[in-house]
Amino acid sequence: MSRKAFFRAGWVLMTLAAVGVALLWMTVGGARRIFLIGETTAAHHQIELACESCHTAPVFAAAATAEQALNKACRNCHEDELAEADDSHPRKMFRNPRMAVYWDKLDARLCTTCHAEHRPEITRKGAVTVAADFCRACHSEGDQDVRTDRPSHAGLAFDTCASAGCHNYHDNRALYADFLAKHANQPWLTAAPIHTLSARQRTPAPAGETALERSDALAPVAALTDPTALDQWTGSGHAAAGVNCAGCHAPEVAPDAPVAEVEARWIAAPPLTVCRGCHKAEANTFARGRHGMRQHPMIAPPRDAAKTAIGTVLPETIVRWLADAPHPTRMTVREARLPMRAAAAHKVLDCGTCHQPHAVDVGQAAVKACVTCHDDPHSQAYVGSPHHVLWQAEQSGAAAPGTGVSCATCHMLKSERRGVIATSHHQNDGLRPNTKMIRPVCLDCHGLGFAINALADSGLVARNFRGRLAVHVQSIDWAVRHAASETENTGR
Amino acid sequence: MLTFTEELVLLLNDEDGVPLLIRPDIAACALAGAVLMDLAFDYRIDTDLDALVVHDQTPTGNAVLDRLLAKIAVRAEVCNTKMWIGVLSTEEAPAVHEEVLARLVERSVLTVRTGRIPWLESRRYLCGDGETAQKIRQRIATVLYSHDIPDARDVALISLLDACEILPEILPTQELADLRPRITLLRKMDLIGREVAAAIADIERSIIQAVRDRAARFRKLLLFLSAVAGSAAGATFVLPRVPVADSFGAALRMHLWFDSGWQLWTGYALLALASAGILAVVLMKVRRIARFGGHNWWRLAHAGLGVACVLALFVHTGFRLGANLNAALMVCFLAVLILGGIAGVCNNAAGELRRMGVPPRVRIIPMRLHTVALWPLPALVIIHVLAVYLY
């Protein structure tokens, strides 16, 4: 073999080997970070290596099939949220053949039309990857031309639709015209500024029949020698609700089991599954937010190389080498894209990171846990802010329950269903965009106009609402004028 | 006694058996000319303005010359010297080179040194007696530096080397400039019989013409294309990227660089152009194909496709480097284009670089790096295409 032939053969063999290894990594198992075409958005970066969570189409599927599968994956995780938000532009609206004329302009049947992943250069706020004036696609011509329908909108640029605090594409529950008109002229602060659901939640309930006392603690003798833990448990919600030490530390054991059995099956640090056993709603919502999204049930597990068609014929050593590394199930503070305190970088997010299971101090999870990690201007400005002063007053007992405003008050949205108040642990639910907080949080204490203006004032938000408003969103004024003209027209 | 062709082949390598940095098509011209000169000195061929004719078909005893003499003799079509140089340089030069090397090895003038890996044939031809090639160089030097009346064959050899621009690779550039009047004088000397002298002069003229034609053909265009391709690819690292469109609508740049459908087709166009560029080089080295159009046309096609690749790369990526595997692919592609551009400039401005004192070993570096940078490209392209279809 000549030198040239040797090198040519070597080139071909090395090319084939490199392609073969890459193909195995793509289809069987192994490192796949190198195939990422760009930085993943903050929404998905934690799960970027669980590729099959989104890329669900079969191998070498047609482009249309792959696109449909990708969009189905979006809906798998986000459809419920959109339904809860009473989506203003639901997919079903655009699937109507009468809307076909818009498909070429902006195909709103597909999530990926506006939210393409791994495209950092064109990714804007809210993971939107189309230009800010995208409303122009459908609302600049014919019947849909908002500028002719609404005199107030004549001359407005399309890039202000969503940026001026007036409209959201999906969630307009606090921004639609009738709602604005109805809540116009409200004072900036209500007569009784109390967050009702928080007030009800924080009002101590009378001790029930099932409430446990210190002497009822069911735990190994060694565990009972920790007076701090015992004291904390005695005054905790767990004890009040009749949850004994063994309920979490020996969940497999019957409530009336002897101490010896409890000792035998005692778990020093109960896993998340134990918390989830009782706090299903909290665990489910936790998995929908950034803090716990790695536990979302729709996240694809690591590929089992041995079970793939190619894996079955490959030697075990290669299959072992190809095996996907286990996906991390919890986020570390170090991975956050927001500014975080360096001292908290090592923290791993699960229930115990924010909640001290033995402690009664609700302020720990509502404020302290947040500011221990978060180091952005808004978080830094919280301490000493008007909301914090109210929170301190409530904590000290000087003010009534529900008057204080903690981090959790605004960012852990509360809802009531069948008399039960649930706290959503999807902590960024109200931030996409922030006007989602208006109805469940802000309006309990503030007028709609003030709330809209305050949330549109990025400087005020950064200062955690310390200081004066510098932004006035005209939407309420226009809605009131529009309602008046409608009434006038009806009268005629 | 060695023939012209054999002496030329010996001079085409340096003392270590490493080939001199001479364009393959020019070396082929020199070999064709040397063969014709050998036949002319042996009174086998004669030339006039219109034709090169065989007037004695008696074998010379040299297998290489006899084979080519027979080829010239059987050709029914009338061809002049220039045409024969064209035919022999494209069809016969590589074979003549191999055959002459084999003859020299057989006669122990050269020895073959094989590569270090036993089963891998990497051959290097070294002077077996350590003297023959050195003696030829000394003979040339003696003729050039003395004022004695030289041997006619030495003058013819010097003329051939000068015509094919091989002398600059043998002699220092500065000395060559000083020797220019002597070389001109030597070429005018009437040292041989009129008939042979006319034939040799015709062959020299034809070679000079052929070499000049080949060297000059598309030289400026090739230089321009190489410079454009290299600098345009290099500009990627300097120029700011084309900004993203701020308004919604049919912005071409948004379609080109962020619409997967458009990117698919521009990607395939880029792949086709890059493949054609590589194919042009491969075909240029296939003798039977290379004679269609000639070496320079294939070089022009290669350079043109290089420029087209830069444009297609811009259309496909907007010169965005991308991330991870895509970044590796982009860097590799740009390296191939930049180094190719530099290699093209070095190749087509060889004379200028020689005069500037850039040694051949330095001039060849961009070409070698261009080839090395090409190695990972096919693997990266295939993986990139597979990743697009799989994700």
Side-chain angles (χ1 to χ4, degrees):
Chain A
M1 185 189 278
S2 71
R3 181 188 282 258
K4 272 186 183 171
F6 173 78
F7 280 121
R8 279 178 193 157
W11 185 17
V12 171
L13 286 174
M14 281 167 62
T15 300
L16 291 176
V19 171
V21 169
L23 201 55
L24 286 174
W25 284 347
M26 282 188 255
T27 57
V28 179
R32 286 190 288 181
R33 189 173 292 280
I34 59 162
F35 302 118
L36 287 171
I37 60 166
E39 188 187 48
T40 314
T41 57
H44 297 138
H45 78 102
Q46 291 185 57
I47 54 164
E48 65 184 1
L49 293 182
C51 310
E52 287 73 23
S53 306
C54 302
H55 299 275
T56 53
V59 173
F60 295 117
T65 311
E67 195 171 43
Q68 290 296 338
L70 201 60
N71 282 274
K72 176 84 169 47
C74 303
R75 296 196 299 275
N76 283 343
C77 293
H78 298 284
E79 203 163 40
D80 290 346
E81 286 177 67
L82 290 172
E84 284 167 20
D86 192 17
D87 191 2
S88 310
H89 295 86
R91 179 169 167 264
K92 65 182 178 189
M93 177 199 289
F94 294 95
R95 293 179 74 193
N96 188 326
R98 282 186 301 175
M99 303 296 273
V101 67
Y102 297 112
W103 294 348
D104 279 343
K105 295 177 180 174
L106 188 90
D107 194 348
R109 297 169 302 168
L110 303 172
C111 311
T112 50
T113 302
C114 300
H115 300 284
E117 190 47 276
H118 308 298
R119 299 282 197 180
E121 195 181 349
I122 54 169
T123 302
R124 295 168 164 85
K125 198 176 174 187
V128 175
T129 50
V130 287
D133 62 341
F134 65 88
C135 305
R136 178 196 301 276
C138 304
H139 295 285
S140 61
E141 291 171 357
D143 297 344
Q144 290 294 319
D145 192 341
V146 290
R147 295 166 301 185
T148 54
D149 183 36
R150 301 284 176 102
S152 57
H153 287 51
L156 290 180
F158 278 100
D159 60 356
T160 60
C161 304
S163 65
C166 298
H167 300 284
N168 294 322
Y169 182 84
H170 292 296
D171 187 343
N172 287 288
R173 282 175 289 179
L175 300 173
Y176 64 92
D178 289 349
F179 186 79
L180 295 176
K182 185 180 167 188
H183 293 84
N185 303 319
Q186 284 183 331
W188 79 277
L189 196 65
T190 58
I194 294 177
H195 189 243
T196 321
L197 294 180
S198 292
R200 282 172 56 191
Q201 215 175 27
R202 289 181 207 146
T203 304
E209 287 178 10
T210 55
L212 299 171
E213 293 177 3
R214 191 183 177 96
S215 56
D216 298 323
L218 180 59
V221 177
L224 292 174
T225 56
D226 180 357
T228 313
L230 211 52
D231 287 345
Q232 286 177 340
W233 171 77
T234 308
S236 74
H238 280 153
V243 179
N244 212 318
C245 309
C248 298
H249 289 277
E252 306 287 314
V253 175
D256 54 352
V259 176
E261 195 182 337
V262 170
E263 192 164 5
R265 307 180 78 168
W266 184 261
I267 306 165
L272 284 175
T273 47
V274 173
C275 308
R276 191 177 289 133
C278 298
H279 300 281
K280 275 191 184 124
E282 287 78 5
N284 288 343
T285 50
F286 178 66
R288 286 165 63 177
R290 303 259 168 96
H291 286 169
M293 67 185 300
R294 282 178 171 163
Q295 292 168 31
H296 196 282
M298 297 308 288
I299 305 302
R303 295 167 296 174
D304 189 344
K307 285 185 182 168
T308 59
I310 303 172
T312 52
V313 295
L314 288 173
E316 200 187 327
T317 321
I318 296 177
V319 171
R320 239 183 290 132
W321 173 67
L322 283 173
D324 273 355
H327 292 163
T329 54
R330 293 177 295 174
M331 180 200 187
T332 59
V333 173
R334 184 176 288 108
E335 293 170 285
R337 294 267 176 92
L338 292 173
M340 294 287 161
R341 292 185 192 280
H346 65 282
K347 287 192 176 181
V348 178
L349 274 86
D350 57 27
C351 307
T353 314
C354 304
H355 296 281
Q356 288 183 336
H358 296 142
V360 291
D361 181 10
V362 291
Q364 171 66 29
V367 173
K368 285 180 194 161
C370 310
V371 295
T372 306
C373 299
H374 287 267
D375 201 21
D376 54 281
H378 177 76
S379 303
Q380 288 169 346
Y382 173 73
V383 177
S385 70
H387 285 162
H388 181 237
V389 171
L390 290 169
W391 173 250
Q392 282 182 314
E394 183 188 329
Q395 288 291 289
S396 64
T403 53
V405 184
S406 67
C407 306
T409 308
C410 299
H411 298 293
M412 312 283 274
L413 304 182
K414 290 175 175 57
S415 57
E416 183 180 12
R417 189 167 289 174
R418 293 176 194 157
V420 178
I421 300 167
T423 301
S424 168
H425 281 56
H426 181 351
Q427 88 301 328
N428 52 309
D429 192 21
L431 292 173
R432 303 177 305 171
N434 62 9
T435 48
K436 287 173 84 172
M437 285 187 285
I438 292 176
R439 286 183 72 154
V441 183
C442 308
L443 290 189
D444 273 17
C445 304
H446 297 285
L448 179 64
F450 175 81
I452 290 176
N453 292 337
L455 291 170
D457 186 342
S458 55
L460 193 66
V461 171
R463 296 194 302 274
N464 215 309
F465 309 102
R466 248 190 281 201
R468 291 197 165 274
L469 266 176
V471 169
H472 176 67
V473 178
Q474 290 177 295
S475 54
I476 292 182
D477 308 338
W478 291 344
V480 169
R481 246 179 279 158
H482 180 69
S485 67
E486 290 278 295
T487 311
E488 198 177 318
N489 290 340
T490 311
R492 279 178 195 165
Chain B
M1 187 177 162
L2 296 177
T3 62
F4 272 116
T5 319
E6 287 164 343
E7 288 190 340
L8 178 71
V9 168
L10 284 173
L11 291 173
L12 286 177
N13 286 353
D14 68 8
E15 291 84 352
D16 301 324
V18 178
L20 297 178
L21 190 61
I22 297 164
R23 269 174 51 180
D25 55 332
I26 304 293
C29 259
L31 279 169
V35 166
L36 294 180
M37 279 186 170
D38 274 325
L39 292 173
F41 267 101
D42 285 346
Y43 302 102
R44 296 300 192 274
I45 58 169
D46 195 6
T47 64
D48 59 30
L49 285 176
D50 301 321
L52 183 150
V53 291
V54 175
H55 60 64
D56 183 359
Q57 289 192 39
T58 314
T60 60
N62 181 314
V64 180
L65 297 179
D66 290 342
R67 185 171 64 76
L68 297 178
L69 181 63
K71 180 170 181 162
I72 296 167
V74 297
R75 183 125 174 178
E77 191 186 341
V78 176
C79 297
N80 62 16
T81 310
K82 191 180 168 189
M83 290 164 79
W84 271 115
I85 285 173
V87 170
L88 295 178
S89 62
T90 39
E91 295 180 7
E92 297 292 342
V96 167
H97 193 231
E98 287 297 317
E99 288 170 35
V100 170
L101 283 172
R103 270 178 66 84
L104 292 171
V105 171
E106 199 180 310
R107 291 159 62 185
S108 302
V109 176
L110 289 177
T111 53
V112 181
R113 192 170 79 184
T114 50
R116 288 175 190 170
I117 306 168
W119 47 270
L120 185 67
E121 285 179 30
S122 77
R123 282 179 290 174
R124 186 175 282 194
Y125 293 93
L126 299 170
C127 276
D129 51 13
E131 289 180 354
T132 312
Q134 192 55 31
K135 277 181 182 172
I136 299 168
R137 287 195 186 88
Q138 279 175 359
R139 237 172 55 218
I140 292 168
T142 307
V143 171
L144 290 173
Y145 289 101
S146 75
H147 295 286
D148 300 337
I149 295 173
D151 181 71
R153 292 177 63 89
D154 290 343
V155 173
L157 182 62
I158 289 169
S159 301
L160 180 68
L161 294 173
D162 189 37
C164 297
E165 297 180 353
I166 298 171
L167 268 185
E169 302 297 336
I170 297 172
L171 298 169
T173 313
Q174 188 52 46
E175 289 181 23
L176 189 64
D178 298 338
L179 292 169
R180 183 54 56 195
R182 172 73 177 161
I183 294 168
T184 312
L185 178 71
L186 288 172
R187 289 174 68 171
K188 286 180 184 168
M189 281 185 176
D190 190 8
L191 300 168
I192 41 179
R194 190 177 295 169
E195 280 184 18
V196 176
I200 294 296
D202 186 41
I203 292 166
E204 277 179 20
R205 270 198 307 276
S206 302
I207 289 172
I208 290 169
Q209 195 58 47
V211 168
R212 280 186 186 162
D213 282 355
R214 290 187 187 199
R217 201 172 193 191
F218 308 130
R219 184 176 160 274
K220 284 185 182 169
L221 184 57
L222 281 166
L223 201 58
F224 173 73
L225 290 176
S226 304
V228 167
S231 51
T236 308
F237 297 107
V238 184
L239 295 177
R241 64 174 61 166
V242 180
V244 174
D246 272 340
S247 60
F248 185 83
L252 183 63
R253 53 195 158 150
M254 291 304 285
H255 286 307
L256 280 179
W257 302 319
F258 301 103
D259 183 316
S260 52
W262 282 58
Q263 283 200 301
L264 191 72
W265 289 111
T266 56
Y268 276 125
L270 175 59
L271 180 61
L273 289 170
S275 306
I278 295 170
L279 196 64
V281 176
V282 173
L283 294 179
M284 189 165 64
K285 297 191 175 179
V286 178
R287 218 180 307 161
R288 265 180 282 177
I289 297 171
R291 67 184 174 196
F292 294 108
H295 198 264
N296 276 321
W297 276 104
W298 291 101
R299 280 155 46 89
L300 187 66
H302 182 66
L305 286 163
V307 174
C309 277
V310 178
L311 291 174
L313 195 62
F314 175 73
V315 170
H316 185 55
T317 65
F319 281 152
R320 284 163 172 81
L321 287 180
N324 300 310
L325 180 86
N326 287 359
L329 174 58
M330 188 69 178
V331 167
C332 182
F333 214 132
L334 288 171
V336 169
L337 290 168
I338 293 168
L339 291 165
I342 297 170
V345 169
C346 288
N347 212 10
N348 292 289
E352 287 81 354
L353 291 173
R354 199 186 297 130
R355 279 192 287 281
M356 287 163 66
V358 181
R361 282 172 198 275
V362 175
R363 271 182 273 149
I364 195 72
I365 289 172
M367 180 60 77
R368 298 229 164 110
L369 291 177
H370 174 58
T371 314
V372 169
L374 195 66
W375 269 55
L377 194 62
L380 289 170
V381 169
I382 296 169
I383 296 168
H384 172 72
V385 173
L386 284 172
V388 167
Y389 278 101
L390 281 164
Y391 296 107

